[in-house]
Amino acid sequence: PQDVLQPYALDPHVRLLVCGGDGTMGWIQSSIDIVWQRMKRRQQQQQRGKQISLAVDLDQLERDHFPMAMIPLGTGNDLSRTFGWGKAYTPKLLNQVERYDAVRELGHEHDRRQNQVLVRSLETARDDTRLDRWRCVVIPHQAVTEQDRDWIPDMLGTTHGDRARDSIYQSPAAAAPKSGGGSHEAKKFENGTTLDEAEHEDDVLDGIFCNYFSIGFDAQVAFEFHKDRQAHPENYSSVTGNKAKYATMGITHGTKAPKLSDKITLLVSATPKNQKAEWKPVPIPSNCRAIVLCNIPSYAGGTKLSNQGIDCQDELMDVVFLTSVWHVALLSGVSPLLPCIRTKVAAQANRICLETHEALHCQVDGEPWYQGPATIHIRHFGQRVVLTKPPSSGGCGCGGPSASTSAVVETAKTNNKGGEDK
């Protein structure tokens, strides 16, 4: 898609409608990253060659251009829920369009102007909301020496250029030598890519995510689900059936997950990102079986974990501890009626470092893998504009017709009453 998007990079009026789930949104955002990398590279080449180049601030354009809306076609659709585009797509939109076509054939100009429901929602959506994006670098302990392991958090938290080793944040693999010497290339992970190797992951991983990162029982359930779906794709053709299988695996695998208090060391920093990080340890409760780093308020298909406002554009990650799969089930089913049972945010930070002391399951935005002992560093990467659907805009078939959509249909019925004999 980057080749399609490239010609429109400088057009401030272009809006994108992404049809898919959270993974598709991540894929499109990665494609937009490639577009701007190309633009900046071209501008730098023109400046070095003393050629005439565009006198524009590409960094500012990158923050403001290509705002995205979405039609939720995934399973959880947490981003779509967060920005008001609905929890799931329904066929009602097709029925509405068919009825609008019938009205158009009868020549009712007023109704004909309103038949493009999705387009109207896209045009009227708010473009003043940004979505924080986070970079995750996973450095396995076997990839670095024991001496180097101690200064990884400090190294990742400083601005590059002070010392040669600081450049690991720009290129993690370059500063992650194997014990036998040499280096190995960082393995990229993006939304929509599952790193579910039979053995635990021992490569340096480097990627971007938007929704959440978690480690523990929820990632283990996601891992088993993805592994079984890849082995038997014919059994996963129904969204309802998929959710039922996910719930079953949650009981069989999620209840066996270990406690994490003695298996992970958690450090956070909230110092400005242009300054050296001041790391503070966060104690992990003894009954904790999952650590979730939330960027948006919707988790695992619409579950709200905390009453504290989780803001998707405050450049802070919220740390939440979960005790069991039953805890999540309770939050998902009962918390809308009993908000008091929701968890508290344990910490907020723009840089987070987790050191795992044994192999554990991890996931980013629902894409899981099995990770060996490693240092996991997460820090704020940037922001991107995401369109917010206003409550008064036309329905998009993602949760039933809106009031304005119903009014259009009723108007068509009234105008055509008595005209069926013609």
Side-chain angles (χ1 to χ4, degrees):
Q2 55 266 23
D3 294 332
V4 177
L5 296 172
Q6 186 83 42
Y8 303 98
L10 300 179
D11 189 341
H13 303 293
V14 172
R15 294 186 169 195
L16 305 182
L17 180 61
V18 180
C19 304
D22 294 337
T24 306
M25 283 289 290
W27 173 50
I28 297 300
Q29 293 196 56
S30 298
S31 300
I32 295 175
D33 288 338
I34 295 175
V35 169
W36 292 112
Q37 289 170 7
R38 291 176 177 175
M39 298 283 290
K40 292 176 182 179
R41 191 181 307 118
R42 184 183 306 168
Q43 188 181 61
Q44 291 173 355
Q45 291 173 349
Q46 291 173 342
Q47 291 173 348
R48 283 197 298 265
K50 297 182 179 180
Q51 300 175 7
I52 298 177
S53 61
L54 292 174
V56 295
D57 184 354
L58 293 181
D59 290 331
Q60 182 62 39
L61 296 185
E62 182 178 3
R63 289 190 290 268
D64 297 335
H65 284 204
F66 288 134
M68 291 177 288
M70 60 212 79
I71 296 180
L73 300 180
T75 303
N77 299 314
D78 289 300
L79 271 178
S80 181
R81 295 169 188 264
T82 299
F83 292 95
W85 295 99
K87 59 183 180 180
Y89 177 78
T90 66
K92 292 181 179 180
L93 174 64
L94 300 180
N95 297 331
Q96 293 166 7
V97 172
E98 290 175 359
R99 294 164 87 172
Y100 292 145
D101 288 340
V103 170
R104 181 178 57 186
E105 291 175 2
L106 294 175
H108 294 288
E109 297 295 331
H110 174 71
D111 298 319
R112 182 173 62 182
R113 289 194 300 269
Q114 301 184 60
N115 68 346
Q116 299 294 337
V117 181
L118 276 175
V119 174
R120 187 171 67 250
S121 298
L122 189 62
E123 291 174 344
T124 59
R126 290 169 41 208
D127 61 355
D128 57 349
T129 305
R130 298 179 184 273
L131 175 65
D132 287 328
R133 305 176 70 210
W134 299 83
R135 186 169 187 176
C136 178
V137 179
V138 182
I139 306 177
H141 286 172
Q142 71 169 35
V144 296
T145 65
E146 186 71 29
Q147 180 180 1
D148 291 340
R149 195 179 308 161
D150 294 333
W151 49 261
I152 285 178
D154 177 69
M155 170 183 59
L156 291 169
T158 56
T159 58
H160 66 282
D162 295 337
R163 299 186 301 273
R165 66 186 186 185
D166 292 342
S167 63
I168 187 170
Y169 181 68
Q170 300 298 318
S171 180
K178 292 269 191 181
S179 57
S183 62
H184 65 291
E185 184 179 357
K187 186 173 182 178
K188 297 289 183 180
F189 66 85
E190 302 289 350
N191 300 48
T193 301
T194 306
L195 300 173
D196 53 353
E197 309 294 340
E199 301 296 331
H200 57 72
E201 186 65 43
D202 289 325
D203 290 329
V204 174
L205 305 179
D206 182 9
I208 310 298
F209 71 96
C210 298
N211 296 6
Y212 55 84
F213 169 94
S214 71
I215 183 169
F217 74 81
D218 61 334
Q220 182 175 348
V221 174
F223 178 83
E224 297 296 337
F225 177 86
H226 280 265
K227 185 170 65 173
D228 190 65
R229 183 167 61 177
Q230 288 187 342
H232 307 285
E234 68 279 2
N235 297 332
Y236 291 83
S237 58
S238 166
V239 174
T240 303
N242 291 352
K243 292 182 178 180
K245 291 183 179 68
Y246 206 98
T248 302
M249 291 183 180
I251 297 173
T252 56
H253 297 285
T255 54
K256 301 175 183 179
K259 296 180 180 179
L260 302 178
S261 58
D262 59 345
K263 295 176 173 58
I264 297 177
T265 300
L266 174 60
L267 303 173
V268 300
S269 172
T271 54
K273 55 187 178 182
N274 58 346
Q275 298 179 14
K276 183 176 178 179
E278 296 180 3
W279 296 101
K280 297 180 180 179
V282 177
I284 300 174
S286 59
N287 61 347
C288 173
R289 285 185 167 85
I291 301 173
V292 185
L293 311 181
C294 300
N295 184 47
I296 61 175
S298 180
Y299 163 79
T303 301
K304 186 176 181 181
L305 297 180
S306 175
N307 287 324
Q308 297 169 257
I310 298 177
D311 192 346
C312 65
Q313 56 181 347
D314 61 356
E315 301 187 10
L316 293 173
M317 187 69 78
D318 295 74
V319 181
V320 174
F321 299 127
L322 301 177
T323 58
S324 68
V325 66
W326 306 113
H327 186 191
V328 176
L330 190 65
L331 290 171
S332 177
V334 183
S335 65
L337 302 176
L338 297 173
C340 58
I341 69 172
R342 291 175 179 150
T343 61
K344 294 182 179 180
V345 173
Q348 289 185 315
N350 54 21
R351 277 171 282 194
I352 299 173
C353 184
L354 302 100
E355 183 178 6
T356 62
H357 310 305
E358 62 180 61
L360 295 168
H361 292 86
C362 304
Q363 67 169 336
V364 288
D365 292 354
E367 307 299 336
W369 74 97
Y370 190 42
Q371 179 62 54
T375 296
I376 303 171
H377 183 268
I378 296 169
R379 67 179 295 171
H380 190 258
F381 177 74
Q383 292 183 326
R384 181 146 289 144
V385 177
V386 177
L387 296 171
T388 302
K389 182 171 177 282
S392 60
S393 69
C396 65
C398 306
S402 67
S404 59
T405 303
S406 301
V408 172
V409 174
E410 290 301 320
T411 302
K413 288 181 178 179
T414 303
N415 291 342
N416 295 321
K417 188 175 181 181
E420 297 177 354
D421 296 334
K422 296 183 181 179

